Amino acid sequence: MTSNSVQISKLRRFVVGGSKPSTTERSWYSYLLGAAWVVFLLVSALFFWSIISKSLPVWEKQPGTILTGTSWGGPYGGFPMILGTLQTSILALVLAVGVGLGAAISIVFFIPARLRLITATIVELLAAVPSIIYGVWGLLVLSPWMLAHFYPFLDSLGLTFLGSSAMATGPSILLASIVLAVMILPIFVSITREVISAVPQDLIEASLSLGATRWQVISKTVLPTARIGIMGAAFLALARATGETVAVALTIGTVSNVQWHFFYPGTTIASWIASAFGESSSVDIQALMALGVILMVISLGVSLISRWFIARQRKMLAKV
Amino acid sequence: MTDLFNTAQTNDALRAEIQEIAHKGRAARLVRSRIIIALCVAALVVAIIPLAALSWEIILRGVPVLKVAFFTQLPQVPNLANPNLTGGVSNAIVGSIALVAYASLMAIPVGVLTGIYTAENENRSASLLRLMAQTMAGAPSILMGLFAFALVCQQFGFGYSAIAGSFALAVLMVPVIIVATEIAVRNVPQTLREAGLALGARPHKVSLSIVLPTALSGIVTGCILAISRAVGEAAPVLFTIGGASLLNWKPTDPVSALPISIFIDAKSQWPSLRAIVFGIALVLLIFVFIASFTARFLVGRQQRKS
Amino acid sequence: MKKMLKSSVAAAVALVGFASVAAPALATGTNVSCYPLYPTGKIKATSLSACTVTAATVAGNAALTSASANYPSNMGGNSSLDTDLAIPSGVSLTAEGSSFIQPLVMALQSGTGTSYWNPLHSVSWNTYTGAGSGTGRTNVTNGTDIIGFSDQPMTTYNNAGTVPTGVSTSDYAQLPAAFGGAVVGYDLGSALNNLKLSASVIAQIYSGSITSWADNAIVNLNGGNTSKIGKKLLALPSNVKTIKVLERNASSGTTFAFVDYLNTANGGLPTGVTGPSGSVLGTKGWGATFTGEANNGAMANALTTTPGAIGYVEYSYLLIPGNSAIDVAQLQDHDGAYVKASIKSIQAAATAAGTNITPDNFSAVYLPGTGVWPFATFSWAIIKKDQSAHASAGEAAVKFLDWMVHYGQTQAAGQGFIALPAAIKNYDRKQLMTVVNGTQPLLTLAN
């Protein structure tokens, strides 16, 4: 407490004429608040518990197969979905970081101040767009374009490990990853922008005074300082990408086998749950819940890592 | 080589020495710097292109769809005799409004009150709440659909219904509202609070009469953003609402929703139904942009006031 | 001499192959399946003689399907006084299942003017997504949906494998609601439309033995290397020449009918040819490189956008604008002549199927007759007989179904289906009259 507030509370006691309020004077106000946060905690706990408990039969019967099996009938094999989630999220992250880092740096350092607000607003508007709109744009606009131009172009570069553009049908892992990258870009850019602008100004000026070029300042001073925060931003974007459902469901084609060729359809955990739910019996639904638990673990793990990075960044900047 | 630690050197000589070192190879470094700067700005342009392309396509293909019939008619199914018979999306509009209304009724009180609690307290439960709110805010939305299905559809026996879908949306909205409320309340200057306490007001009166009104625009902003997110989410309602071909809105009835109409029609056989998708997308986009701008405006006004 | 040797070796191999597959099946007697799709395993090729419907069954069915019943005129029609249109208001109906019958069902759920069943918009329908016949059967038996549409009825006859676990079929009313044909479609451009494909070649394509459109087997069926079509096939670019096989999952009714056709037309599947596995969009059993499509609509989409693809899709999807680019193969009828897919040939199949259609006799593939389209099936509506849990919804459901199989059939031709004959309509109505609320039938003869 500051010395001011200590004085004020002393004054208040003098004015009101009593010692601190007795514990029985709990107002309806604190009961109301208490009710609200207890409800929230309860529902959150129920959230985790209900999905986990519904999936218990699967963990009892086939804990290994749900993680490593490759077909969905009989013993439910979730490996194609797990693999697909990793494939799309990581590729989306690589694309988003590649473009987003440059974009964030531009916004902070190279864009004239007048344009800064507009560009920042545009990037944030991108974040508000519902994901299903990205999905239909990907399916109805981007997919035909990619089928006609982009797959053959990549083929001509000799990237045959991606598959053959002739065998491509449109929806594919590559298409889903590109749509995901567009979706997670704004998150990455806005957090990176904040982290980069938080680098103390005197560090930058010191570098400039030593005769460094603008890029040298950024690469040798700003980026190393902000590096941890940028990692945090990347992991946050990754967490978002792993959980995305409808945009991926519309653009990935959804087959249940392991897919290594990015031109061909694949699947992810979230899009598989969305697609297969309508045709699932109650036993199938248990397996889908088990997939949901796996997704929970992946997504939570990645966001925890991101939060750790961002917290470390804040601590580091507090010390500087 | 000048001894940099020999303080007997004059400052001028020192500066000249450093500048000479710094200028070596400067031309090459400048060129490299300019190239990389150009790449960064190019990256920014590339980052903005998708929004431009997307908005352009949606406006171009969506505007022709937005006739009065689109908003007022029930959906029809094209058939071979009438391949362009698509009707409208009035059922989805009514359903979405109902879903968001019920969800807000559940989410806003819980979220705002919890946010106030976490902003005003520093104890263990407040930290736990903050952790939970941030965790749930980042959780995949399909899991909320699974949760609502297991709890409301099956356990409580409501089946496919609006209440199940709104529950899923409420679970989605609460963490967003908590975080926004906490930030808004924390931003209220401590002096305001202390002044109220100094005048003898009880803590809860201070909160209600002084802190809340000041934080109101921040809280409202959070609620607007949460609502705008809920309107556009398809995953939580995908297998909880069932779909309806009439203007269903009661909590226990199955309802339709705009994102679900998009999801189904985008995969349709009929080109006319696929074209409708852009109209719905345009409506959603306009709604979301208006919500975003309103939020920004409120925050800006708040910042100018304080 | 060499030729004789080759052909006798081939014959011997075929015999041995056939015997080795057929013998175990015959040996196990009652495990013979004539509807070869098991929910969990591979197809068993069988000797078809063990599969014929017995005379006794036929006689029994005839009593149910006779057209001698006297039904009032204001039932199943479209006048405003029709009892089928007098529905309780504020009802929510749920239907799900086959994407084969989906175009007809959705056209009848709504429409313009008075030619649809819900003229006052008082009944709300859920979203029919065409999740497949297997889902239709599962959902109607576990109560998720009131009406299930499935291309095959639930029956244990001949190990059809269409009964969900723990379900007693006598609790459900099952009625043929439509008759339609399906085609083997592919995407090779309009110049190569109407390719002749025999059932044997198709089976080999679906087992992965034939992988190229320029394979000798296909070329020889279409005039040989020197014919116009043959030259075009050989001249296809290499990426289009590779056959991309599209499939549906094993619980799909269209898949069932497709494999039924292949099995029947081939007299049992050729050795080494297996069927799809039982999983949703599963690919084991059929080639691992096949692409799964969620339903008929997705299959039609894929057939318009994937050069070199082959798949099987219900006929009316071809009539949708935008799908007219799908190439359709000519298939052989029972006499060996090649037939083009058309309403006329599908109508011939409907006529050949006759009227003794019951859950124990439902297959309509490869029927005898000239110009009979060999790949056709009925599509069934399934509804629980006991509707007491939601009586007004049950009443609305049976009235919809009664209207669908009577007046709704006038819309069938417009949607690419074949109208049901009178005897089957009567059978359907008799089934619907077994649906009750407690002891009270929900569909009664109006006075």
Side-chain angles (χ1 to χ4, degrees):
Chain A
M1 292 233 282
T2 65
S3 58
N4 267 344
S5 40
V6 167
Q7 286 176 333
I8 288 174
S9 59
K10 280 197 189 141
L11 193 64
R12 184 180 135 254
R13 262 189 243 143
F14 175 68
V15 168
V16 173
S19 54
K20 74 174 187 188
S22 63
T23 47
T24 54
E25 212 185 59
R26 287 282 170 87
S27 59
W28 56 269
Y29 178 69
S30 55
Y31 280 133
L32 192 66
L33 288 190
W37 66 257
V38 163
V39 163
F40 171 63
L41 270 185
L42 212 70
V43 171
S44 305
L46 257 180
F47 169 72
F48 292 106
W49 182 84
S50 72
I51 298 183
I52 294 176
S53 70
K54 280 261 167 178
S55 68
L56 280 176
V58 173
W59 298 111
E60 281 163 17
K61 274 187 257 171
Q62 43 152 123
T65 325
I66 188 77
L67 292 169
T68 57
T70 53
S71 86
W72 189 248
Y76 299 99
F79 183 67
M81 296 85 195
I82 300 174
L83 178 68
T85 307
L86 293 174
Q87 286 170 326
T88 49
S89 314
I90 293 178
L91 179 57
L93 183 68
V94 165
L95 293 172
V97 169
V99 172
L101 201 54
I105 295 174
S106 303
I107 295 181
V108 177
F109 293 115
F110 306 139
I111 298 295
R114 306 162 282 154
L115 287 179
R116 205 167 291 163
L117 185 61
I118 297 179
T119 41
T121 311
I122 292 179
V123 170
E124 276 171 29
L125 275 180
L126 265 173
V129 172
S131 54
I132 188 154
I133 294 186
Y134 285 112
V136 296
W137 173 70
L139 178 69
L140 297 177
V141 177
L142 194 58
S143 174
W145 179 83
M146 279 180 61
L147 202 58
H149 301 111
F150 197 53
Y151 292 140
F153 168 68
L154 288 177
D155 251 1
S156 67
L157 294 179
L159 301 171
T160 47
F161 64 89
L162 291 174
S164 153
S165 72
M167 303 268 292
T169 51
S172 64
I173 298 183
L174 185 61
L175 176 66
S177 307
I178 292 180
V179 169
L180 271 180
V182 173
M183 279 178 59
I184 65 178
L185 188 71
I187 304 165
F188 179 72
V189 167
S190 59
I191 299 184
T192 306
R193 197 168 58 86
E194 270 177 43
V195 166
I196 291 180
S197 350
V199 171
Q201 195 63 14
D202 35 349
L203 272 182
I204 298 175
E205 282 168 11
S207 300
L208 278 172
S209 72
L210 286 174
T213 61
R214 284 191 293 170
W215 177 245
Q216 275 185 316
V217 173
I218 294 174
S219 63
K220 298 276 195 284
T221 310
V222 176
L223 285 184
T225 318
R227 190 182 50 198
I228 300 176
I230 296 178
M231 295 277 281
F235 273 92
L236 198 64
L238 185 66
R240 175 84 199 270
T242 54
E244 185 43 55
T245 311
V246 277
V248 176
L250 285 171
T251 50
I252 201 167
T254 313
V255 294
S256 69
N257 45 313
V258 173
Q259 184 62 266
W260 287 109
H261 300 291
F262 281 31
F263 280 170
Y264 303 153
T267 185
T268 66
I269 297 178
S271 66
W272 179 256
I273 296 177
S275 309
F277 199 90
E279 346 179 305
S280 294
S281 66
S282 48
V283 181
D284 294 336
I285 290 183
Q286 287 172 347
L288 291 178
M289 293 276 178
L291 275 187
V293 171
I294 299 175
L295 179 63
M296 220 191 272
V297 168
I298 295 178
S299 170
L300 272 179
V302 173
S303 18
L304 275 174
I305 296 177
S306 134
R307 259 212 294 274
W308 181 74
F309 276 122
I310 293 185
R312 259 185 63 185
Q313 174 77 12
R314 237 180 264 138
K315 256 189 249 168
M316 198 187 74
L317 282 179
K319 276 192 255 169
V320 168
Chain B
M1 161 82 178
T2 318
D3 183 357
L4 286 169
F5 293 101
N6 185 348
T7 50
Q9 293 291 119
T10 62
N11 278 341
D12 286 333
L14 198 58
R15 202 179 295 123
E17 181 80 45
I18 292 176
Q19 280 181 347
E20 196 198 310
I21 297 171
H23 274 114
K24 275 203 194 110
R26 186 172 168 82
R29 283 184 287 127
L30 260 179
V31 168
R32 208 178 66 171
S33 172
R34 297 230 169 96
I35 292 177
I36 298 185
I37 291 175
L39 280 177
C40 284
V41 177
L44 180 62
V45 172
V46 168
I48 297 188
I49 284 179
L51 181 67
L54 190 137
S55 312
W56 175 246
E57 281 293 342
I58 291 183
I59 293 176
L60 192 68
R61 300 201 202 185
V63 166
V65 173
L66 295 186
K67 308 198 180 73
V68 176
F70 174 81
F71 292 99
T72 55
Q73 273 188 13
L74 291 169
Q76 308 278 14
V77 180
N79 52 56
L80 295 175
N82 295 303
N84 290 326
L85 175 74
T86 52
V89 292
S90 53
N91 62 335
I93 293 177
V94 167
S96 275
I97 293 178
L99 280 171
V100 169
Y102 301 142
S104 305
L105 270 174
M106 291 189 259
I108 292 183
V110 172
V112 171
L113 291 172
T114 309
I116 294 177
Y117 180 83
T118 54
E120 295 189 337
N121 290 281
E122 281 301 329
N123 50 23
R124 269 220 307 253
S125 44
S127 329
L128 177 64
L129 286 169
R130 255 175 247 126
L131 180 66
M132 272 315 232
Q134 282 182 5
T135 308
M136 297 290 282
S141 52
I142 185 104
L143 296 180
M144 282 140 203
L146 283 177
F147 174 40
F149 177 78
L151 191 68
V152 184
C153 293
Q154 293 198 317
Q155 193 83 19
F156 293 166
F158 282 107
Y160 293 133
S161 56
I163 193 73
S166 332
F167 182 77
L169 289 178
V171 173
L172 190 74
M173 290 167 68
V174 165
V176 176
I177 298 178
I178 291 178
V179 170
T181 306
E182 184 179 350
I183 294 178
V185 171
R186 272 185 194 273
N187 275 343
V188 173
Q190 191 67 3
T191 48
L192 270 179
R193 197 187 292 267
E194 286 168 3
L197 286 171
L199 289 173
R202 291 222 203 95
H204 80 265
K205 199 79 167 73
V206 172
S207 295
L208 281 178
S209 319
I210 299 177
V211 173
L212 260 193
T214 321
L216 195 65
S217 59
I219 297 177
V220 167
T221 303
C223 294
I224 291 178
L225 289 176
I227 289 178
S228 117
R229 179 140 179 233
V231 167
E233 280 282 345
V237 294
L238 197 52
F239 31 77
T240 46
I241 59 175
S245 57
L246 297 182
L247 300 175
N248 286 6
W249 57 269
K250 298 211 193 93
T252 47
D253 280 344
V255 294
S256 190
L258 287 170
I260 302 298
S261 296
I262 295 184
F263 191 65
I264 306 272
D265 288 346
K267 301 184 287 189
S268 166
Q269 286 295 285
W270 298 93
S272 48
L273 274 181
R274 292 202 295 266
I276 290 264
V277 163
F278 288 97
I280 308 178
L282 184 57
V283 167
L284 276 180
L285 257 189
I286 292 177
F287 181 83
V288 158
F289 281 177
I290 291 180
S292 256
F293 281 122
T294 312
R296 275 181 161 268
F297 171 72
L298 282 175
V299 168
R301 204 175 63 160
Q302 175 67 21
Q303 282 176 346
R304 268 176 276 136
K305 260 204 237 162
S306 57
Chain C
M1 175 60 195
K2 232 192 192 172
K3 239 199 219 172
M4 225 177 66
L5 195 61
K6 266 200 203 161
S7 47
S8 46
V9 167
V13 168
L15 268 173
V16 168
F18 187 79
S20 63
V21 181
L26 288 171
T28 48
T30 49
N31 266 342
V32 163
S33 169
C34 309
Y35 302 104
L37 214 60
Y38 290 106
T40 52
K42 296 201 240 175
I43 291 185
K44 287 193 175 127
T46 67
S47 156
L48 289 175
S49 59
C51 298
T52 48
V53 177
T54 65
T57 328
V58 172
N61 294 341
L64 285 173
T65 60
S66 72
S68 61
N70 235 348
Y71 292 119
S73 58
N74 63 338
M75 198 172 167
N78 208 41
S79 80
S80 54
L81 298 174
D82 199 277
T83 51
D84 280 346
L85 295 175
I87 39 189
S89 65
V91 164
S92 287
L93 282 184
T94 50
E96 187 55 83
S98 154
S99 59
F100 187 95
I101 198 178
Q102 182 173 8
L104 184 61
V105 169
M106 293 188 75
L108 295 178
Q109 285 175 336
S110 66
T112 52
T114 53
S115 66
Y116 63 109
W117 176 74
N118 199 359
L120 296 176
H121 282 302
S122 58
V123 171
S124 168
W125 284 101
N126 70 333
T127 316
Y128 191 102
T129 59
S133 301
T135 307
R137 299 189 292 264
T138 317
N139 281 6
V140 75
T141 52
N142 69 19
T144 313
D145 292 302
I146 298 179
I147 304 176
F149 286 102
S150 163
D151 302 336
Q152 289 77 37
M154 301 189 293
T155 178
T156 52
Y157 187 77
N158 280 338
N159 285 322
T162 51
V163 184
T165 345
V167 168
S168 162
T169 56
S170 55
D171 293 337
Y172 295 86
Q174 305 192 78
L175 41 143
F179 184 91
V183 304
V184 172
Y186 57 96
D187 184 359
L188 288 178
S190 53
L192 284 170
N193 198 1
N194 290 318
L195 267 188
K196 295 191 174 114
L197 293 178
S198 70
S200 162
V201 161
I202 298 174
Q204 289 174 71
I205 292 177
Y206 267 84
S207 73
S209 326
I210 295 183
T211 53
S212 165
W213 285 107
D215 191 284
N216 278 338
I218 301 180
V219 172
N220 289 339
L221 282 177
N222 288 280
N225 289 0
T226 50
S227 72
K228 213 166 64 161
I229 296 183
K231 282 204 214 129
K232 284 209 189 95
L233 283 172
L234 291 166
L236 286 171
S238 59
N239 54 14
V240 179
K241 234 187 245 187
T242 327
I243 303 184
K244 292 119 204 155
V245 184
L246 305 176
E247 60 169 7
R248 301 273 312 283
N249 58 358
S251 67
S252 145
T254 324
T255 302
F256 192 110
F258 180 58
V259 179
D260 190 13
Y261 156 64
L262 288 181
N263 194 48
T264 316
N266 283 315
L269 289 177
T271 348
V273 174
T274 56
S277 72
S279 56
V280 172
L281 297 179
T283 53
K284 259 216 219 131
W286 275 353
T289 54
F290 293 5
T291 306
E293 301 295 337
N295 55 21
N296 271 301
M299 177 73 89
N301 278 342
L303 284 172
T304 50
T305 54
T306 320
I310 188 171
Y312 46 95
V313 68
E314 196 268 320
Y315 177 77
S316 62
Y317 284 85
L318 301 173
L319 306 173
I320 297 174
N323 288 345
S324 50
I326 298 179
D327 297 322
V328 178
Q330 295 187 58
L331 302 177
Q332 281 179 300
D333 67 13
H334 205 268
D335 302 332
Y338 277 94
V339 182
K340 284 198 189 148
S342 66
I343 287 286
K344 194 162 144 235
S345 55
I346 299 175
Q347 173 70 66
T351 316
T355 54
N356 291 333
I357 303 299
T358 65
D360 296 340
N361 178 31
F362 60 87
S363 174
V365 299
Y366 205 62
L367 294 166
T370 24
V372 167
W373 183 248
F375 184 10
T377 178
F378 287 92
S379 194
W380 295 68
I382 306 175
I383 182 170
K384 196 166 185 179
K385 282 186 185 164
D386 181 9
Q387 291 290 321
S388 31
H390 31 65
S392 41
E395 183 187 342
V398 293
K399 287 187 171 169
F400 169 71
L401 288 175
D402 189 66
W403 186 89
M404 176 178 179
V405 301
H406 286 87
Y407 184 79
Q409 297 297 310
T410 59
Q411 310 291 306
Q415 299 299 320
F417 292 84
I418 308 296
L420 297 170
I424 295 185
K425 292 185 191 181
N426 291 336
Y427 173 81
D428 289 348
R429 182 167 277 164
K430 280 214 163 68
Q431 291 296 311
L432 286 172
M433 285 163 80
T434 62
V435 179
V436 294
N437 167 22
T439 50
Q440 176 80 7
L442 289 171
L443 184 74
T444 51
L445 297 180
N447 49 333

